[in-house]
Amino acid sequence: MFARILATLAALLIATAAYAETLVVYPLTSRDSFIGALVADRIATGLGDGHEVYGPAVAPSLVPPLPIGEGFLNPTEFLRDGGVANRTGTVLLRDALGADAVLTGDIVFEGDRLVARLLLASRAGTREFSIRAPADQPARLAARAIAAVARRLGTPVDEPDVDIDMSGPDGVLGQALALIAAGLIDDARRVLEGDEEPNDRSRQLLQAMREIERDGLEPGGEADPALLATLAVNRDPLDERLALHYFQRLAEARELPAAALWVAVLETSVNDLAAAERHFGELPGDYPYGQAAHAAFLLGGGADGSEAPLERALESEDVAALLGVAAAAGSLGDIELEKVAWARLGRVAPFFTYPFERLSFIAFDQEDALAAAEALAVAVELEPESDLYWTNLGWAYYLLGMLEKSERASERAIELAPGQYIAQYNLGLVQAVKGRLEEANASYLSALRSDPEVDDAAIDDLEQALELFPDEPAVHYALAMLYEAEGRRSEAAEQFRLYVDRAEDSAFRERASERVEILSAPPPPIELTDGVVTVRLGSRRVAAGPYHPGDPLYPSFEVYTPGEELPQRLDVTVDLSTADGESVMTLERPVEVPRAAVAFVVNDMELALPRDLQAGPYRLTVVVRADEGRDASATVMFEVAGQPQLLRQLLGRNLQMQALDTGVRLYGPEDLARPQLLTDLLLAELQSSADAAEQALPAVEAGRFAGMTGGELFRSSTGSDVNSFLEYLLASGARDASFIFAEAYAQWALEGAPDEALEEEDPDGAR
């Protein structure tokens, strides 16, 4: 018996070794991403003998996207928060890459220990295991991980000698690896070029980057083809033909099926559809994700003959392939095919939550409450901390008439997320139809506190409940509450009246009678306190008149009612006009008022004066409107003088810049009387920070400061340069921030000192 077990284990190891030919090692997630990337890189290097290994710098970029409609979709987008360091993510990556094995995981600190929690998905299955080492010895962690992974791949090795010194060149290498893995190639290059003592690995990375910069279309070069393809596909701006060239080289040099699929995908992107069809057709038959991508390509183009790759993908047990079919079907509106794919994926990968989420939404759309409940019951088992799933499960149970289960599910959602107002509405609905009005009243009030704007679906649900539960008067009261909160006074009065006619609860009958009387009377007016509106500079409301073109102004006024309470919604219009009434600009915005408020201050609407506004007197008019024809208005006059001033705009946006050495703010409202000193003050800060910049910054590669060191950049900057930076900062739409001036200026210079930022639309609709 024992000998037979040993023989079985040996056979399993031999089979695993035969399969484990292509291995992809992902960056290990960690509190320190540099250590995670570096340890993963050491693991990949240590497993290179006998395997075709792809390390953490290239792994994230090797997952081919699916051609969906007119665009492309990365299958990892279906993972929760994009995280791959879990069973679902690891299997999905293995299948999408067509690799024989994929290693993911994370590194955590447990007291004085480093713990690598690893997942290895191979053809033999998915295994989870942990490796430990002293917290100050990441090299030992990497060495032990190499031995552990090799053993599980059936190619055991002795624990190798690994060296990691994060205080030396390895620290720079780890940073560069993490940046490349994130697709930030330019940042990685700057880091590597600033390394005065690079190790061999860093030199290899930098050499590959320089080959890409030379265009690299001529044969030659000794760099890793996977690294070159990664650098090319992450180049900014993307040169698709260059990326295609490098993935063709990778597909010719290596066995990973994903490289060949990338070729077909990039040919699709450059609209070489004939070549794409040829290469899709040449993908290996045992690469189901490739077959799914082929089917998506054919379906998206409406081509005939798409059934074969589609059927092959649907019949597989490949997570990525089934996901691809489902995504393609969904994009084309083929709901039945999408359901088949998601359902099969749910059986093949019962640990993957998203298929059950999507099936539940499809079921709700098709008014199949039972199917929705069945899918969501699985979803909450897989992700018991999801308030969304518990909320939707509660609704599905309500539709099925399973009121006790619905109530428990909604309560669980609220426990997980106290502000989950949809669950609060669902809970209030169940309590109302069961006649527990005091609890229902509390639930609906909680929902309105969480989101003052009444959810229309909650009203629809109560209106339907009038028909489903005609003998329950509590539904009338709950519906009246929501009608009133939405400003539908006459309808609310009618529902309160119906409750009074039928209810037995004396306390709520008395309240309802009071509401009938109040809501049946003419609505109380709304007014602006003292008919006054004031205007100040910025959200901190600095009195800084006369104002200048470009100033961000904030009007302030208080709305009140002599009645019981203000409406829950007010519509505010702010109009700026010349003294003779010619309109310059108008802002419009709804304002949500807290329940039971009799007065409310509005002071958060920004009116950015046009930069070309002419000097002179201006009129600002505020009009506040409520339902049933109620309105109030007020006007204020103010002067505009002079030219746009950067200091005023910085203060108006609440942008505070600090000194590098002390953190003290460099300017404030007290400097408005001498705005011309702002540029000189910032230049002086650059001069005093020049030595630190010389040590910390790499050389500038592009733009007006190209070729300068950090010290040279700071010392040679002029007032015009500083003002260009400030103009760029303001044009970016930045506001309400405090930061070190020298650091922000250096970042702007390293990015090429652009003169303009993308125009940002004002949140209130103005430019």
Side-chain angles (χ1 to χ4, degrees):
M1 175 72 72
F2 185 63
R4 196 159 51 233
I5 292 174
L6 287 179
T8 302
L9 289 174
L12 177 60
L13 287 176
I14 292 171
T16 306
Y19 279 122
E21 296 170 357
T22 54
L23 169 66
V24 181
V25 180
Y26 259 68
L28 302 179
T29 59
S30 174
R31 185 175 66 192
D32 183 341
S33 62
F34 303 165
I35 288 181
L38 189 62
V39 169
D41 191 65
R42 291 291 198 271
I43 294 172
T45 302
L47 294 168
D49 291 341
H51 302 289
E52 183 179 293
V53 181
Y54 299 84
V58 305
S61 296
L62 293 180
V63 176
L66 290 159
I68 301 293
E70 296 182 357
F72 298 90
L73 175 70
N74 190 311
T76 61
E77 293 181 21
F78 289 94
L79 297 172
R80 186 73 64 214
D81 301 322
V84 299
N86 52 64
R87 178 177 289 268
T88 301
T90 309
V91 173
L92 176 61
L93 293 173
R94 181 201 65 196
D95 293 348
L97 291 162
D100 295 304
V102 169
L103 180 72
T104 69
D106 59 19
I107 296 177
V108 298
F109 290 84
E110 293 183 357
D112 61 351
R113 309 287 287 176
L114 274 178
V115 181
R117 301 181 299 202
L118 303 177
L119 294 97
L120 179 67
S122 69
R123 302 300 176 186
T126 303
R127 307 179 188 184
E128 301 181 40
F129 52 99
S130 296
I131 308 296
R132 290 171 170 76
D136 59 350
Q137 297 183 36
R140 180 175 293 184
L141 187 75
R144 291 176 175 174
I146 292 168
V149 173
R151 187 166 60 252
R152 286 163 175 81
L153 291 176
T155 55
V157 298
D158 293 333
E159 188 174 308
D161 291 329
V162 177
D163 180 46
I164 294 178
D165 180 8
M166 295 301 293
S167 63
D170 284 338
V172 176
L173 174 59
Q175 183 179 2
L177 290 168
L179 290 169
I180 295 171
L184 302 173
I185 307 303
D186 290 340
D187 293 334
R189 179 170 179 169
R190 282 194 289 269
V191 167
L192 291 169
E193 289 181 337
D195 188 1
E196 297 179 356
E197 298 180 359
N199 56 24
D200 290 343
R201 187 82 172 94
S202 293
R203 282 190 286 269
Q204 291 169 359
L205 294 176
L206 194 54
Q207 179 183 350
M209 291 176 180
R210 288 169 176 162
E211 179 175 336
I212 292 291
E213 288 302 317
R214 292 195 302 268
D215 244 4
L217 292 177
E218 296 299 325
E222 298 179 356
D224 173 14
L227 177 59
L228 292 173
T230 293
L231 298 176
V233 82
N234 286 293
R235 192 175 182 182
D236 187 19
L238 173 63
D239 182 337
E240 290 170 303
R241 294 195 178 277
L242 183 66
L244 174 58
H245 165 76
Y246 278 109
F247 271 104
Q248 286 171 330
R249 285 176 54 178
L250 175 60
E252 292 168 359
R254 300 290 180 84
E255 298 295 327
L256 190 69
L261 177 52
W262 260 113
V263 171
V265 166
L266 287 166
E267 286 170 337
T268 305
S269 185
V270 299
N271 208 34
D272 189 351
L273 301 184
E277 166 58 19
R278 184 175 67 257
H279 284 108
F280 273 121
E282 293 173 354
L283 291 171
D286 59 353
Y287 182 30
Y289 179 70
Q291 301 303 319
H294 188 189
F297 168 79
L298 294 171
L299 288 168
D304 294 330
S306 60
E307 292 81 2
L310 177 62
E311 290 174 1
R312 285 196 294 270
L314 268 178
E315 291 170 359
S316 76
E317 295 191 355
D318 186 284
V319 171
L322 291 168
L323 190 154
V325 173
S331 72
L332 294 169
D334 189 339
I335 300 302
E336 292 309 310
L337 174 59
E338 186 184 3
K339 284 171 60 177
V340 169
W342 287 127
R344 179 161 175 75
L345 182 52
R347 294 190 295 273
V348 168
F351 45 81
F352 191 4
T353 310
Y354 184 82
F356 301 100
E357 175 184 318
R358 179 60 186 148
L359 285 169
S360 73
F361 283 123
I362 293 173
F364 280 130
D365 288 341
Q366 296 182 332
E367 299 184 355
D368 187 346
L370 179 59
E374 290 173 343
L376 288 164
V378 178
V380 296
E381 286 289 330
L382 294 173
E383 292 192 24
E385 302 302 306
S386 170
D387 61 285
L388 171 65
Y389 295 159
W390 283 109
T391 297
N392 291 351
L393 181 58
W395 178 241
Y397 282 148
Y398 172 80
L399 294 176
L400 291 170
M402 304 169 71
L403 300 184
E404 288 76 14
K405 285 189 172 184
S406 175
E407 186 171 359
R408 288 197 296 272
S410 296
E411 287 173 340
R412 179 58 180 152
I414 296 166
E415 288 175 9
L416 293 167
Q420 176 48 276
Y421 65 91
I422 299 299
Q424 291 164 342
Y425 277 127
N426 291 346
L427 181 59
L429 177 62
V430 171
Q431 292 164 337
V433 301
K434 294 177 74 173
R436 290 154 45 198
L437 184 52
E438 186 168 354
E439 295 171 70
N441 185 61
S443 294
Y444 280 115
L445 288 175
S446 294
L448 292 170
R449 281 193 295 269
S450 299
D451 184 1
E453 186 171 356
V454 180
D455 187 89
D456 291 339
I459 290 180
D460 293 341
D461 297 338
L462 283 167
E463 290 173 340
Q464 293 173 19
L466 291 177
E467 301 177 8
L468 295 172
F469 302 91
D471 298 327
E472 182 47 65
V475 178
H476 292 290
Y477 191 101
L479 182 57
M481 285 177 58
L482 296 192
Y483 278 156
E484 183 179 2
E486 202 171 47
R488 298 161 65 174
R489 293 170 58 86
S490 60
E491 293 169 278
E494 175 61 19
Q495 290 300 320
F496 277 127
R497 187 178 293 110
L498 289 170
Y499 176 79
V500 171
D501 292 343
R502 304 178 58 194
E504 298 179 357
D505 187 308
S506 58
F508 277 98
R509 287 183 76 250
E510 184 176 346
R511 291 186 214 172
S513 297
E514 292 174 355
R515 299 314 300 167
V516 170
E517 182 177 351
I518 291 170
L519 293 170
S520 299
I526 58 171
E527 301 179 18
L528 298 187
T529 303
D530 299 326
V532 171
V533 57
T534 60
V535 176
R536 296 288 185 268
L537 177 66
S539 59
R540 292 183 176 269
R541 306 195 49 73
V542 179
Y547 297 105
H548 287 237
D551 281 2
L553 301 186
Y554 280 72
S556 175
F557 51 92
E558 183 181 55
V559 189
Y560 80 98
T561 179
E564 184 182 51
E565 64 181 279
L566 283 168
Q568 303 296 289
R569 176 189 168 108
L570 301 170
D571 292 306
V572 177
T573 301
V574 177
D575 181 75
L576 178 70
S577 61
T578 61
D580 58 7
E582 182 181 353
S583 180
V584 175
M585 61 187 301
T586 300
L587 305 179
E588 295 181 351
R589 201 186 78 184
V591 173
E592 300 294 335
V593 179
R595 290 183 59 82
V598 296
F600 187 71
V601 174
V602 179
N603 59 8
D604 61 349
M605 294 180 67
E606 180 183 304
L607 182 84
L609 298 181
R611 291 172 63 88
D612 58 354
L613 194 64
Q614 298 297 310
Y618 287 86
R619 176 184 292 111
L620 188 142
T621 302
V622 169
V623 179
V624 182
R625 296 182 177 86
D627 57 348
E628 301 192 44
R630 291 175 286 176
D631 62 62
S633 63
T635 298
V636 63
M637 298 292 296
F638 62 89
E639 288 287 329
V640 172
Q643 300 297 316
Q645 289 183 359
L646 293 171
L647 177 60
R648 299 178 68 90
Q649 293 174 51
L650 291 170
L651 293 173
R653 295 281 190 88
N654 192 28
L655 293 172
Q656 294 289 338
M657 290 187 249
Q658 303 163 333
L660 178 65
D661 55 348
T662 64
V664 173
R665 65 180 174 88
L666 294 171
Y667 52 82
E670 66 276 6
D671 297 311
L672 283 171
R674 46 178 193 169
Q676 69 281 359
L677 296 182
L678 174 66
T679 303
D680 293 339
L681 185 152
L682 296 180
L683 281 173
E685 174 65 12
L686 291 178
Q687 292 294 324
S688 66
S689 306
D691 290 343
E694 184 68 22
Q695 296 296 319
L697 298 179
V700 182
E701 293 185 356
R704 68 180 75 179
F705 305 110
M708 291 187 185
T709 65
E712 290 169 344
L713 160 66
F714 278 25
R715 291 189 181 95
S716 66
S717 290
T718 65
S720 176
D721 295 327
V722 168
N723 289 342
S724 292
F725 162 72
L726 297 178
E727 293 280 6
Y728 175 82
L729 177 67
L730 291 166
S732 73
R735 63 187 70 236
D736 299 317
S738 180
F739 52 89
I740 302 297
F741 162 66
E743 293 178 354
Y745 184 83
Q747 184 64 36
W748 170 74
L750 289 171
E751 291 175 357
D755 291 325
E756 297 180 357
L758 291 175
E759 184 178 24
E760 178 181 80
E761 186 170 338
D762 185 275
D764 291 312
R767 289 276 183 188

